[in-house]
């Protein structure tokens, strides 16, 4: 047997492995529950947070989403945007440390938002829009631990906080709070604007993944051409 065929098989194996790695990495990036935008100014007022929940199961639908809001650094004035097919329930909790505002002292705030009644199928995602009156100004991050429940009973706990060592397997959505003029730096975003921005971001990621795949295919073509033109040794 000539040396060409084994070389071709080796090249095909390497290229297939590279393509699989690219696609698996891309799939993992899309599967996480995220919050958009991912940053706001400390103490920002009258804004919107969008929680994007992708369905990562092939044979089950997402039927319940629970977003837990931190109460040690509370988000004030929470309002939920109506979502077709979904029912939202906002649970409040007493604050250990009341928050003083221009309108008075706040003693309780939203601690959990539960979305039920809808279905998000395979290959789909759902955007849940939550308006707020004011973000805290005494912390640099807000972690929104989230539970995602599927129609087959499986529950995914997106509760792990990021570490210096890298991204955890089931990361919670994290909002960064930056220094600056809260009113000027973070104007309120409508649900339509947020969704449009998120769609554009998804499109850009999709194009990036497509570009990686095309690059892998290009390497494959080059490898096959090189091996095919190589003369077998005696």
């Amino acid at each position: 047997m000539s040396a060409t065929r084994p070389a071709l098989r080796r090249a095909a194996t390497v290229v297939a492995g590279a393509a699989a790695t690219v696609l698996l990495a891309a799939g993992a990036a899309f599967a996480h529950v995220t919050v958009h935008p991912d940053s706001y100014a400390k103490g920002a007022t009258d804004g919107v947070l969008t929680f994007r929940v992708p369905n990562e199961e092939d044979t089950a639908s997402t039927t319940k989403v629970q977003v837990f809001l931190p109460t040690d650094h509370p988000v004030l004035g929470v309002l939920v945007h109506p979502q077709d097919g979904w029912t939202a329930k906002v649970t409040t909790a007493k604050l250990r440390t009341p928050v003083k505002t221009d309108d008075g002292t706040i003693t309780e705030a939203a601690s959990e938002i539960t979305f039920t009644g809808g279905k998000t199928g395979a290959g789909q995602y759902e955007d849940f829009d939550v308006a707020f009156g004011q973000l805290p100004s005494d912390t640099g991050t807000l972690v929104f631990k989230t539970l995602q429940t599927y129609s087959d009973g499986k529950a995914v706990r997106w509760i792990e906080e990021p570490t210096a060592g890298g991204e955890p397997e089931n990361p919670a959505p994290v909002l960064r709070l930056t220094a600056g003029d809260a009113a000027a730096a973070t104007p309120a975003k409508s649900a339509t604007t947020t969704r449009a921005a998120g769609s554009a971001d998804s499109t850009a990621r999709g194009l990036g993944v497509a570009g990686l795949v095309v690059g892998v295919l290009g390497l494959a073509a080059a490898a096959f051409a090189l091996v095919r033109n190589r003369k077998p040794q005696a």
Side-chain angles (χ1 to χ4, degrees):
M1 182 182 294
S2 69
T4 303
R5 288 185 179 178
L8 283 172
R9 285 198 294 268
R10 287 195 296 270
T13 300
V14 171
V15 171
T21 300
V22 169
L23 293 176
L24 286 174
F30 282 113
H32 299 165
V33 175
T34 52
V35 60
H36 303 271
D38 60 2
S39 67
Y40 258 110
K42 292 183 178 181
T45 58
D46 300 326
V48 173
L49 297 174
T50 298
F51 293 92
R52 174 159 295 178
V53 183
N55 188 85
E56 59 177 6
E57 295 292 321
D58 294 330
T59 59
S61 300
T62 297
T63 56
K64 183 178 181 181
V65 176
Q66 296 166 269
V67 179
F68 296 90
L69 287 71
T71 54
D72 52 347
H73 303 287
V75 178
L76 305 181
V78 168
L79 295 173
V80 180
H81 187 274
Q83 189 81 359
D84 289 344
W86 294 85
T87 299
K89 177 184 177 182
V90 179
T91 301
T92 60
K94 291 286 186 180
L95 300 178
R96 289 186 178 181
T97 305
V99 179
K100 294 182 179 180
T101 69
D102 294 338
D103 298 323
T105 300
I106 306 298
T107 59
E108 64 178 32
S111 60
E112 178 185 345
I113 305 175
T114 302
F115 300 91
T116 56
K119 285 187 177 182
T120 306
Q124 300 177 339
Y125 71 89
E126 199 78 46
D127 278 349
F128 298 97
D129 298 319
V130 177
F132 61 82
Q134 184 175 345
L135 295 177
S137 58
D138 58 350
T139 184
T141 58
L142 289 178
V143 179
F144 298 98
K145 296 182 179 181
T146 303
L147 299 184
Q148 180 180 11
T149 303
Y150 289 92
S151 55
D152 60 1
K154 177 182 178 180
V156 181
R157 298 165 60 83
W158 302 102
I159 62 173
E160 298 176 13
E161 299 186 26
T163 61
E167 188 176 30
E169 183 178 355
N170 293 316
V174 176
L175 179 70
R176 293 182 296 108
L177 298 181
T178 61
D181 186 343
T186 55
K189 294 187 177 182
S190 67
T192 302
T193 301
T194 304
R195 187 173 289 109
S199 298
D201 178 65
S202 296
T203 301
R205 290 186 182 183
L207 291 174
V209 172
L212 289 174
V213 174
V214 170
V216 170
L217 293 178
L219 289 174
F224 280 118
L226 180 61
V227 174
R228 183 172 296 173
N229 292 331
R230 182 181 299 170
K231 294 180 179 181
Q233 297 180 354

